Amino acid sequence: QVQLVESGGGLVHAGGSLRLSCAASGRTFSTYTMGWFRQAPGKEREFVAGIRASGGSTYYADSVKGRFTISRDNAKNTVYLQMNSLKPEDTAVYFCAARYANNPIPVGPENYGYWGQGTQVTVSA
């Protein structure tokens, strides 16, 4: 079992950057595939980025490809989401999620068994 706590959200102007962090409890963090999702008001939760347990493979939603970078530090039990060139449409609550597997990264939220509480990201025009 793993518990997840996100941090790093906030208010930023369009074109700015933020780095989200997700700290995980437990000694088996390196066996979990990790994902970042986001949910804007009135919209469904959507996949943003994922990274396999080994850290050797990543996958991004088309909407963030080239602007966002997911990474992990298994020694620190932490996964990061570096967000550059932010746009107003990136405004959402961002969630960290974990999946106990090292399979190819799934994009459906139903594939992840553990979730953080979320952190708000607001991008002003």
Side-chain angles (χ1 to χ4, degrees):
Q1 190 146 354
V2 62
Q3 293 181 324
L4 306 171
V5 179
E6 302 97 335
S7 61
L11 173 64
V12 64
H13 291 297
S17 299
L18 283 173
R19 188 175 84 153
L20 305 183
S21 299
C22 173
S25 65
R27 295 176 290 178
T28 59
F29 176 73
S30 61
T31 62
Y32 288 83
T33 287
M34 301 299 296
W36 284 99
F37 290 76
R38 65 187 181 187
Q39 188 166 18
K43 294 188 176 181
E44 293 187 352
R45 192 168 297 190
E46 65 172 357
F47 174 84
V48 174
I51 186 166
R52 290 182 65 170
S54 62
S57 178
T58 58
Y59 186 68
Y60 297 92
D62 287 343
S63 59
V64 305
K65 200 172 295 182
R67 300 187 297 122
F68 291 10
T69 302
I70 188 171
S71 61
R72 66 190 297 161
D73 186 337
N74 285 344
K76 295 183 178 180
N77 281 14
T78 302
V79 63
Y80 305 97
L81 186 67
Q82 177 67 45
M83 305 186 296
N84 299 328
S85 302
L86 283 161
K87 305 175 181 180
E89 51 264 43
D90 294 318
T91 295
V93 177
Y94 282 71
F95 297 90
C96 172
R99 166 180 168 86
Y100 183 61
N102 193 33
N103 297 336
I105 300 161
V107 301
E110 68 277 6
N111 294 290
Y112 293 79
Y114 304 97
W115 292 85
Q117 82 289 349
T119 186
Q120 177 71 45
V121 171
T122 303
V123 184
S124 61

